[in-house]
Structures are given as C-alpha cells and as structure tokens.
Amino acid sequence: MKNQPLGSAAFSSFNVSAVLLLLSLTLGSSIVFARNLYDDLNLTWGNGRCEILNNGKLLAVTLDKVSGSGFESKSDYLFTRIDMQIKLVAGNSAGTVTAFYLSSKGDHHDEIDFEFLGNVSGQPYTLHTNVFCNGEGKREQQFRLWFDPTADFHTYSILWSPQHIVFLVDETPIREFKNFERYGVPFPKYQRMKLYSSLWNADDWATRGGLVKTDWSKGPFKAYFKNFKAENECGSPGASCNSLTNSIFSSFSNNRKLWNKLDYGALGQMKWVQKNYMVYNYCTDYKRFPQGLPKECQSQLLEKENKNIS
C-alpha cells in the first residue's frame, strides 16, 4: 500500500481508532514513543529535591535529614499497565523507602504498591508489595531481589486489568492478585488511580522492623527513574477494556498478552520467584489471622477457581 500524507480532511473523515489501526498495520509493533518526563509527571514535594534531568529523560528523587521528595503522574487511570525503570539508592540505604504505586484519593482509597525497603551495605533490598481496596490493605507479600537493584536500571511494572493485578520485575511476574469478587473478595475497579513515587525516611519500620536506623552521614540518598510508560487505559467505570483503541496501543509493546490472565510460561516464572525469593506471604501468616486466612487465600476457594479455569 502506498503511503500518502493525511491532511485535515482525512482526519475529519476517520475516527481516532481507524487512524491508529492504519498506523499499526503500516508500521507494526516497532513503534516507540520517545516521551519526555515533563509531559507525563509532576514534581509534587521536596522543595527542589525532586528534579528532572537530561532534557526530560531522567528523574532523580532525593532524601536528606530535612525532607524526602516525590512525584506523581499527570494522568489518572482506570485499568492500565504502568512501566518505569528505576535505579535504587546505593550503599547503606537502611531506613529509607523508595515507593512506586498507584493510588486513588480519600479514606476509602484503592492502592497497588511497590515499596523498596533499604538495606545495610552488602545486604539485599526487600521488595514489599500490597493491594488496598476501599481503604483496606493487609495483603502484603515481600521478596528479595535476585540482582543488585542499585547497579543499574531495572523495569518495574504494575498491570491492573478487570481480571487481575500483576506485579512484574523485568517482565517476570512475581505476584498476581486475581479478581475474586464473585467469591466476596473486594477488588479495585471503581476508582481511578494516579501513579505516585517518592523517597522517604521510614526507619521506624523499614529495615529489620526498625532495628536499623537511617545513617544520615551516608546521605543525601538518591534514586533515579526513567522510561515511564502508561497504557491500556479504559474509560469510565464499567467501560470495555477490549476496545479497538486499547488493542492498538498495546500492540506497540506487546503488553496485551497478560491482560486477561497469566499464560503457562508466566505462571512458571512467578512460581519460581515465589519459591526462591519470597520472604513473607500474608496468605500463610496464621498468627496474624487467628480467625482464618483472608478468603482469597483459602485453599477451597483456590481449588474451586482452578476447576473453573480447567
């Protein structure tokens, strides 16, 4: 097909979805949008400790004894996939937390958390994950990372669809929280969320339960972010997430494949991570839930779900 420039008349006769479809067919999935962080993110607190560098390609957050700092996305989302490359605080980062999460507003907020709990030099970071729905959390899973997250950038992703929430590290799923509303388990699906990120002091709990305090002589502490992407957004509550436009956007990065469910390869990867690197799982903490584990953790529900899938 011979490509011809599309003028204003052409745009008036095609809707946006049709134009995007034409682009995807002619250029394929190799399209990459080189976005500037100024376009997508707002620096929200820290009195200059959070800054965008390198002509919009890099963002740095800083923590010192006076204050931490942070940023948020300009857009909010109802179902999305968020990707960000992060390089965490190097050296002795005990007491510090680098947070990367989706959240709505208010006391009855929804939230999907990545939190990186600092370490004493030579010890691994703890990756803390949690899911809140209608203001209620207590769904923590924690992992040790299988690489040094301070030596280079790694990609951390949150996939939030009507079917499930998936946490990914370098495209490897480490955790899945399924939509079990049909069994009476709440699931975040009615409140739009923004991305938030920050570096802050939490030495009352972050490292070994607060036993190791922040060594301010090692500061200021810095973490770095780049290559932010957000896609697969739906519209209003109840809107279809399988629209033509969303399918086209997802084809640019092939992120659509995990949108509805994890395939066998992804499930195998997640089981490997959980077997070798999970250090805490609320679904096995019987002391914390003496009256019984949360419903989504109960074996009879999981067995029922597996039968429905097979």
Side-chain angles (χ1 to χ4, degrees):
M1 184 177 85
K2 183 178 180 181
N3 293 325
Q4 295 181 347
L6 293 173
S8 58
F11 274 102
S12 65
S13 61
F14 288 91
N15 61 36
V16 174
S17 295
V19 172
L20 288 170
L21 178 60
L22 178 63
L23 286 171
S24 68
L25 292 173
T26 56
L27 299 179
S29 60
S30 61
I31 292 179
V32 176
F33 292 106
R35 292 189 61 86
N36 189 304
L37 294 178
Y38 284 110
D39 297 331
D40 297 306
L41 306 175
N42 284 325
L43 311 184
T44 50
W45 66 284
N47 292 325
R49 292 174 179 82
C50 184
E51 53 186 342
I52 295 177
L53 308 167
N54 295 357
N55 297 316
K57 301 304 181 186
L58 182 70
L59 188 152
V61 291
T62 300
L63 166 68
D64 59 29
K65 200 168 185 177
V66 176
S67 177
S69 57
F71 62 90
E72 69 181 35
S73 62
K74 291 184 177 181
S75 299
D76 56 13
Y77 310 97
L78 182 69
F79 306 124
T80 185
R81 170 161 170 161
I82 300 286
D83 300 284
M84 180 75 88
Q85 290 188 305
I86 306 174
K87 186 161 86 169
L88 297 176
V89 175
N92 185 346
S93 59
T96 72
V97 173
T98 305
F100 175 73
Y101 60 102
L102 287 167
S103 182
S104 61
K105 296 287 189 179
D107 293 337
H108 300 285
H109 72 292
D110 297 336
E111 186 170 317
I112 305 169
D113 288 343
F114 270 119
E115 290 185 311
F116 303 91
L117 312 185
N119 67 96
V120 178
S121 297
Q123 298 180 9
Y125 263 80
T126 298
L127 172 53
H128 177 96
T129 67
N130 202 356
V131 176
F132 287 74
C133 188
N134 199 29
E136 183 69 26
K138 300 180 181 179
R139 300 181 179 94
E140 301 92 342
Q141 290 183 355
Q142 294 183 340
F143 305 82
R144 299 282 192 249
L145 292 170
W146 52 95
F147 52 83
D148 180 357
T150 72
D152 204 350
F153 286 90
H154 292 267
T155 302
Y156 303 92
S157 308
I158 297 170
L159 188 157
W160 171 36
S161 80
Q163 289 75 36
H164 60 181
I165 295 164
V166 183
F167 298 79
L168 302 104
V169 177
D170 289 334
E171 296 299 321
T172 298
I174 64 170
R175 177 180 182 178
E176 179 185 31
F177 184 80
K178 290 186 177 182
N179 184 343
F180 282 161
E181 281 187 305
R182 58 193 175 280
Y183 304 122
V185 178
F187 186 84
K189 59 184 278 189
Y190 299 106
Q191 302 187 71
R192 299 179 71 85
M193 296 196 251
K194 279 191 173 186
L195 171 74
Y196 298 89
S197 189
S198 59
L199 176 58
W200 54 289
N201 180 45
D203 65 4
D204 57 332
W205 66 272
T207 306
R208 295 183 58 201
L211 294 177
V212 183
K213 302 300 182 181
T214 304
D215 183 352
W216 295 109
S217 70
K218 305 299 183 183
F221 305 97
K222 287 184 178 290
Y224 298 92
F225 300 76
K226 66 179 184 178
N227 293 336
F228 169 80
K229 288 194 298 183
E231 54 189 319
N232 287 337
E233 181 187 0
C234 296
S236 58
S240 171
C241 286
N242 297 311
S243 66
L244 177 63
T245 303
N246 280 301
S247 298
I248 293 169
F249 278 129
S250 65
S251 72
F252 293 150
S253 57
N254 198 30
N255 285 341
R256 191 75 179 182
K257 68 175 184 176
L258 302 181
W259 188 252
N260 295 315
K261 65 179 181 178
L262 299 182
D263 58 28
Y264 286 112
L267 282 170
Q269 290 177 318
M270 185 174 68
K271 289 179 180 178
W272 174 82
V273 171
Q274 293 184 353
K275 178 181 178 181
N276 292 284
Y277 297 100
M278 180 182 283
V279 295
Y280 176 79
N281 182 3
Y282 79 110
C283 278
T284 60
D285 193 342
Y286 292 92
K287 290 183 179 179
R288 186 180 180 188
F289 303 103
Q291 304 304 317
L293 293 174
K295 189 174 291 186
E296 68 268 22
C297 303
Q298 295 172 9
S299 59
Q300 58 266 35
L301 182 149
L302 298 175
E303 290 171 2
K304 185 177 180 180
E305 177 68 12
N306 289 335
K307 288 181 181 178
N308 290 339
I309 294 173
S310 60

